[in-house]
Amino acid sequence: MTSGDIDAHQHFWAYRPADFPWIGKGSGLDRDFAPQDVGDDLSACGIVGTVAVEARESEAETRRLLDLAADDDGIVGVVGWVDLMASDLADRLEALACEPKLVGFRHHVQDEPDPDFLRNPVFRRGVRQVLEAGYAYDLLIHASQLAEVPAFLDAVGPGTLVIDHGAKPLIAPDAWEPWASLIAQVASTYPVFCKLSGLVTQVQRRDGRSDGNEPPILRYMEHLLQCFGPARLIYGSDWPVCNLAASYREVHALALRLMEPLDRGDRDAIMGGNARRAYRLEPASRHNDPSIYRETAPGGAS
């Protein structure tokens, strides 16, 4: 697969309440979600491939997603979970090295009760091992944890890092700062990628509007575009979680609205090219090549 749009953030799960305590009963997410459930929307929106991202901190779940991807050509990559704190992490990564669609890992830092978790030396060592093995690392945090990100990035060193969901800012009156300044600092200093995903569920007013004018979510999306530029912003829907606030097609349309002023090259980068680079979706460049961290300069489009 060398062309076409990619959704770089989707979830598929076999629901059991004990496995997904973050899913509320009656929320609409408390059921199974499979690739075929979103297939019509992807086709309508011109999406040719998706990256499946873990939603449960379990190595068994990573295996399940890899099995799902092996049987589905539309799943072009898997961001899984592995115990980054394990003393035998190197062996666990070696056991997964034969998986052609495994492109990265993430940990639910947003759920850690320790506010200083990003300073944990064992966790930092684990992320460093993942990066040195040539995988991407998805950083799942809340906006309140952004201040710790620069020191974390300095500690883990070179590699491909992707900030999920724009660091999950609250989209509400008086919530713009300090998120806006902190995400701009990270973007200008470090060559990390950022996913344009998961923002619709951060809107604190259901209608998503303020004073009858532009949806305030667009202000946040425009800020991410300004900070990371078209070369480091990655489209993702966060389906099916997005369904709590907007349908797949509404999320896709919102992304296209953001990109209306961009030329075709920049639009194609956000809608697929950057995901291919960040996750090395071409098999020949999959692992053990940290150059991706160096080839995209911070500070916007390049």
Side-chain angles (χ1 to χ4, degrees):
M1 184 192 63
T2 58
S3 63
D5 291 355
I6 293 173
D7 183 335
H9 204 101
Q10 290 194 339
H11 303 292
F12 308 112
W13 58 66
Y15 178 72
R16 291 197 317 161
D19 292 339
F20 297 91
W22 60 271
I23 295 179
K25 184 174 177 59
S27 66
L29 299 181
D30 53 343
R31 65 176 180 85
D32 295 354
F33 285 92
Q36 58 266 30
D37 296 326
V38 73
D40 289 345
D41 290 327
L42 298 184
S43 296
C45 295
I47 303 295
V48 302
T50 65
V51 176
V53 180
E54 61 77 33
R56 181 166 71 99
E57 293 183 314
S58 162
E59 293 183 25
E61 185 71 359
T62 300
R63 290 286 185 184
R64 191 189 74 83
L65 289 177
L66 290 169
D67 289 343
L68 191 65
D71 294 330
D72 190 327
D73 291 340
I75 301 176
V76 297
V78 170
V79 174
W81 185 88
V82 67
D83 187 354
L84 296 171
M85 313 282 275
S87 59
D88 63 344
L89 176 59
D91 293 336
R92 297 181 188 219
L93 293 176
E94 184 177 357
L96 291 164
C98 62
E99 296 291 346
K101 288 190 176 181
L102 183 61
V103 298
F105 295 94
R106 77 169 185 171
H107 181 81
H108 298 187
V109 177
Q110 66 172 14
D111 297 328
E112 290 290 342
D114 180 2
D116 297 325
F117 183 79
L118 285 174
R119 300 182 188 181
N120 186 304
V122 180
F123 174 66
R124 288 179 172 184
R125 182 187 64 198
V127 174
R128 189 181 306 117
Q129 285 181 260
V130 161
L131 298 175
E132 289 174 348
Y135 295 101
Y137 179 75
D138 272 34
L139 184 58
L140 178 61
I141 58 172
H142 284 298
S144 61
Q145 296 167 303
L146 259 175
E148 297 293 334
V149 169
F152 168 76
L153 295 175
D154 287 337
V156 301
T160 304
L161 288 107
V162 183
I163 298 175
D164 283 352
H165 312 324
K168 300 190 76 169
L170 286 180
I171 299 178
D174 302 322
W176 179 253
E177 293 290 359
W179 170 82
S181 296
L182 290 173
I183 198 74
Q185 177 191 356
V186 170
S188 66
T189 309
Y190 300 92
V192 296
F193 291 88
C194 181
K195 282 186 184 174
L196 189 67
S197 60
L199 295 177
V200 293
T201 50
Q202 296 298 109
V203 178
Q204 299 304 292
R205 287 185 57 181
R206 181 62 184 89
D207 60 11
R209 294 186 175 274
S210 175
D211 300 324
N213 297 315
E214 289 292 307
I217 190 174
L218 281 174
R219 182 188 183 200
Y220 287 75
M221 295 170 68
E222 289 165 355
H223 186 63
L224 291 174
L225 177 58
Q226 180 180 12
C227 290
F228 291 92
R232 291 188 290 143
L233 202 60
I234 298 174
Y235 167 73
S237 65
D238 197 27
W239 182 91
V241 181
C242 68
N243 290 341
L244 294 174
S247 70
Y248 187 93
R249 299 189 195 196
E250 288 173 328
V251 170
H252 184 263
L254 196 58
L256 294 185
R257 182 173 176 181
L258 171 72
M259 292 179 282
E260 284 176 355
L262 303 182
D263 63 30
R264 182 56 184 264
D266 287 344
R267 180 257 182 225
D268 288 351
I270 295 171
M271 294 301 298
N274 296 338
R276 288 182 175 84
R277 290 193 301 119
Y279 292 121
R280 302 175 181 88
L281 296 179
E282 305 304 328
S285 61
R286 181 61 48 79
H287 299 310
N288 299 316
D289 179 11
S291 62
I292 187 71
Y293 188 84
R294 300 187 297 269
E295 68 185 30
T296 305
S302 59

